[in-house]
Amino acid sequence: MPGNSRAAGTHHSRPSSSEEPPDLEDQELLLAAAYVSDAQYNRNVPFETSPQAIRLYHFYNHWTMRAATYFFIWVNLALALFEEPAVFPLPFLVTSIAEVLCLTAFFGRLVHFAKVTPQKVFWKDTKNICVMVTIVLTLIDLVIYGSLEAVNIRGVRWSRALRPVFLINFPESRQIRRTFRSIRNTLPDILYVFLLFLFSMMIFSLMALKLFGDRDLRTVEGSPYFTNILDIAFELYVLVTTANSPDVMMPAYELNWWYSLYFITYIIINTYIFMSVFLAVIYNNYRKHLKNEIHTLAYLKHHKMTEAFNILKVKVGTEFVVKEARWRRLVKVVAPDVSSSHLELLLRISDEGQKGHVDKVNFLRLADLLNIRVVAINIKKHPLETWMPRVYQSSTSLLVQKMVQHRQVRWSQIFVWVYDVIILINAIFIALDEKDSLISYAEWLFLSLYIIEILLKLYTYEPSAYFGRKQFWNWFDTLIIIAALLATVANTTIQARKYNSQQVLDIVLILRILRLLRVIVSIQRFRVIVTTLINIGPTMLTFGGLVLVVYYAFAIIGMEVFHGKIHFLDPGSGSPDALVCGNPALKDSAFAQGRYCKNNFNDLASSLILLTELTVVNHFALLADGFALVTHQAAKLYFIGFHVVVVILIVNIFIAFILEAFFVAYSLEKSEVETAIEKKIQELGVGVQEEEVQDGGLIDNMDAKDSGFSADEGDNKKKDLKGLYFRIASKKYKTVDTLLQQMFESEIAPEGKDPSLKEILNFSPKKVNFDNSA
Amino acid sequence: MPGNSRAAGTHHSRPSSSEEPPDLEDQELLLAAAYVSDAQYNRNVPFETSPQAIRLYHFYNHWTMRAATYFFIWVNLALALFEEPAVFPLPFLVTSIAEVLCLTAFFGRLVHFAKVTPQKVFWKDTKNICVMVTIVLTLIDLVIYGSLEAVNIRGVRWSRALRPVFLINFPESRQIRRTFRSIRNTLPDILYVFLLFLFSMMIFSLMALKLFGDRDLRTVEGSPYFTNILDIAFELYVLVTTANSPDVMMPAYELNWWYSLYFITYIIINTYIFMSVFLAVIYNNYRKHLKNEIHTLAYLKHHKMTEAFNILKVKVGTEFVVKEARWRRLVKVVAPDVSSSHLELLLRISDEGQKGHVDKVNFLRLADLLNIRVVAINIKKHPLETWMPRVYQSSTSLLVQKMVQHRQVRWSQIFVWVYDVIILINAIFIALDEKDSLISYAEWLFLSLYIIEILLKLYTYEPSAYFGRKQFWNWFDTLIIIAALLATVANTTIQARKYNSQQVLDIVLILRILRLLRVIVSIQRFRVIVTTLINIGPTMLTFGGLVLVVYYAFAIIGMEVFHGKIHFLDPGSGSPDALVCGNPALKDSAFAQGRYCKNNFNDLASSLILLTELTVVNHFALLADGFALVTHQAAKLYFIGFHVVVVILIVNIFIAFILEAFFVAYSLEKSEVETAIEKKIQELGVGVQEEEVQDGGLIDNMDAKDSGFSADEGDNKKKDLKGLYFRIASKKYKTVDTLLQQMFESEIAPEGKDPSLKEILNFSPKKVNFDNSA
């Protein structure tokens, strides 16, 4: 339905004949490539279709440009480490110049974007406005702060809290923005539950005031118990975090055990039920909004692929198709680093009948095809086999190889068992005291045993297969061992010179223990769980970004408000100030008595660590009280705000995400496109099962297959694939978007229906703005 | 497919002619009624089909028998309150006689059950074996303990920990058993995650030992920091509960802030990711197993209804049907308390064509039909209208009524607003100090205002409609106000006699504050959330049962192990023992310093409260340490065990359940059968919308409908329904089974397929035992 997609409002013009001057065709190709590339990476930015704009657009999306943007975003964020209050102090002049540089880079990126996108779209996009406003505000703040600095007045660098805006609002941060949007959409529903929760807290506060207020009870610290309604409300809020249980209950409980029922009721209703309801509401909304967004994304992808098809199509017989030559050029533009054998495989899948052209249905799959990483394995003989075949194929050598491969007969499992036992003994040795020289010499023994293991494996497996791109555990093993070897050597050298470097020793110790992780690999059930965790790892990083944004903003605010109020002084110094964290207001407080002075907002690192502690929630009240003592009772609002945003909102979204990801991982089937590719690979007889590679059975298997394959050697069509084996990269290492799309794949309308752009945008219940959903 | 179900192995014999002696027919009816009743209540106990056994079976399932069983179960559990260590001590003779009585009752119930169920089935059922073994063990324990008591040796009453077995293993506790089964089925999966978690903890423990062990660091209390691998493992386990954060990190953090990264990594991996994975695994398995069980239940129901149909069917024309007269008698036996109008409605739904008989499809729905509570509303005029129509219909009276109904015009909302404001002012008055006599007199004002409100409502609405069975909020309002009135009067009377009863005052205060909850009713969004919570309330009670079972067992064990080790002595007494909780081993411990002496295992109430505190997790380590000090370090295993069972397993299942229930509540549609009933009610013109009743618009609406209805008066068929209106009881107040079945309704095979009993039992992946799945 070309007319349909045409109506959706693209601006390019295309002559209907298939023969154009090469220059014109080049431009068409670039335009189509831009569409395909957008579809592949789920970019939803509308772009100008003039030849110059398309070239600029390709440049805009080039990885170097995106990497540079990220670099400046991170430099900008990292500036807080060097500004007052600093971990590593630098003069204001240096940091401000660095900041101006970053702002210039952001501005440049924005200008570049403005050149490739239609003016109207650009100015309607809140992202761009946000970035521009933030740049201007930061410059103003810099100027004011600089001027005040010049006359020696310390100003407030408030614009620093805005820095995460850049991380969120550049089109590169699609996932973080999606999560933010999902939070924003959940807010109304959360709000009502939260109000009800506050109402319930208020009711309980009133009850507590009436029940306990007049009894003249005292807390352990001797302060009055439950006499002030605001104090009660704060205590009860903290009880939701569980941080003051059971202390808050003890005075009443000591009076009469019936009163504990009040607290138990409160805990059941507000801590358990309400917190679960928060999770349920967040989870429910998270799923709903995510589904809508992914829905829209999938339709947009389809739309863009149709656009690309319409640009490149020619009529052959009754149907429109894309010629093979053009298709090849297109793929080369979209994915320049695709190997020619991979390209051949893709063509074979897309052009099933080998008619020399690709039809529409197959063309539309191209974006998905490109997203599936196919690993081309170049089957080579082991180098040793080539160099000295007789020795390598001798019966002793073969026995060693079979033992290492540990998949032939039962007794050959011995290799794995022996090494598991070695690791176990190693663990016991680590746990023992190592000052005994015998034990410290044993370390060298273990190290050499591990090195021997790696060498044996390299002897058995072809090295480039062993260190394949996706052989995570092989890489892990080898890197840990090499690093441990280097660090141990370094440590011994340093020690020999009577100079003990703690850092190097720490690294040695950690590496030595990380080696024990290898046990996981040999137990199948463990490997499954770990694989699932690694599977959802990249998506968890999105949350890392989200958490960073919130933490950073709170840290900057915290630093402005609480900076320098609490100091950590070495208690060994004997200074009386050390006992009150350098602030007399903390005298006799639980904060100072518990030696929490190190928890302060005096620099970015301390602030972030403190915020992490607050996220874990324990001693929440103690920490909040400490900072309220040195400033004002209102400071508690900062801590409650942090709790609501991070613990109630973000941690719940994190849990919701892990739940969802785990359910998907449990029920994950191969996608339709993946199945098609696999079928083709098998048909062509160039497939390798993933497990075979992982278990190291690659080489055995090759012998059997090789003969079957060579029978086809005369077939001209297959000559490009000769000597190569393919397999689909395993399910792990999926991109976030792929994983999410797969979650809702079944609910997306079947192929063949091409909705118009208008229809697409109406799919989501709230009218998603085309520009915003990028 | 009667042959099919016959093959499934029932034992009754039935002559194929439809005319039998009345006595024989009675027995058939009883047998069919037993099947239908089993299907209605999802009972899966096979029973003997001899006439006597069926009568016994009906008696076995009679509510008085079930209530008696529950009564004895609770008495048996409650005995722990009166036995040493007792809350209310009673001599051993009394409690042991009570226990023997309970055991006799349990045995009687078991013998009764053995009489109605086939011998083979009875002896293969682990539930029955469990109960018998527990009875025998308890008797043995009683005899041993009694003999030892006689010679003044204090024995261990270990069999008390077995008491929850009765709560679980009587067929009455289907839901609790199902949850237990669901936990048992989840265990293998949990186990692997748990092992991996322990492994990760071990790795981190080793790292901590190497990193911090040799630094000679000290904790705040001055004890060595991270020097012993077992201590480290315990500390790190506690860190997963967050109970010792950030204390556990402070010494290392003070040394160098880089070391905090170790703890943050640990918290992210073990506290956040692993705990979420536990939730994910539990949730996933919970759903899976629940689905299987419900699946089986639904098929069994279908099977039993088919059995009942086959017993009662006669051939009319080409198809088998059940005659109307027989159908009526069956329903009367199955549900004796169904009103004749309700029966008429059910018949009208089942016998659509009014042919005088019910066909198979409609007969099979009977169990579901009986489960749907249809409320018959007897539309009466307001009594006042009958007594003094002129006054009641006067314009002033009508104005009052309209204001109270608050649904006519905008200004009439004023009634609700006025009372919301009154409640608000009331809240402020409560928060203020009430020693001021003006304020304490205001309390009487508020009380009278609330009473006036209720009287006005009773004036407007017909009293029996206002106090309808499902008018939760009306009941709530009235009861709270009446109770507050009584308590206030009682309190004033007591005070007038210069005698201040704290208990009465407490009740007054709580009631006074609970009145504020009425605000929720007037805000629609709040009402929705609260309704959902009430909706899943009954199912949450299942969890109450589950938690009780586990708590009770742990409390009994705790009482045997830790009883009398820690005493709460009034600190005001000045005794030096009071500062160490009566145990010198606690000198200088955080336990004694924090005044936690009241947290002990000295009686059942204290134990349960302490276990609740441990569930909330905060100060978990402090409490565990305290008990380890007064007994042995191994005591910590008790606390870790409790944490694993309750916090990791049961709390997660609770959260999983709330999540699932909320998702269902969000997406709950009326079931197919409900829709059919509603359609019929509407067709017959006797329907009342639920909202109308709730908003109190019942009476207005009646006038309009009454006229329409009277037109049909001549219709003979409808004469039984005259003057009655029906509505389906609202979605809330569903039974647990109904809710769960509805969750998975869509996945149950469509009607018409009658699987055999064998097939049914093979549906669940693990072969569910027919006897066990009851």
Side-chain angles (χ1 to χ4, degrees), chain A residues 92-110:
Chain A
F92 173 68
L93 198 66
V94 178
T95 59
S96 58
I97 288 176
E99 181 144 28
V100 171
L101 254 174
C102 292
L103 294 179
T104 316
F106 299 147
F107 188 69
R109 181 81 177 156
L110 209 61

Side-chain angles (χ1 to χ4, degrees), chain B residues 697-750:
Chain B
L698 194 55
I699 289 147
D700 300 356
N701 212 281
M702 289 309 102
D703 300 334
K705 281 223 170 141
D706 227 9
S707 55
F709 194 59
S710 55
D712 293 329
E713 217 164 323
D715 188 347
N716 192 41
K717 280 276 173 194
K718 278 188 185 163
K719 70 170 190 294
D720 290 322
L721 299 176
K722 201 191 159 297
L724 274 178
Y725 287 88
F726 292 95
R727 66 182 177 84
I728 293 198
S730 69
K731 288 186 292 193
K732 48 193 171 184
Y733 317 110
K734 278 213 168 122
T735 65
V736 184
D737 280 330
T738 326
L739 191 72
L740 292 177
Q741 284 188 29
Q742 213 158 324
M743 283 185 189
F744 304 111
E745 204 170 44
S746 61
E747 294 167 51
I748 288 166

Side-chain angles (χ1 to χ4, degrees), chain A residues 64 763 769:
Chain A
T64 50
F763 270 115
N769 191 330

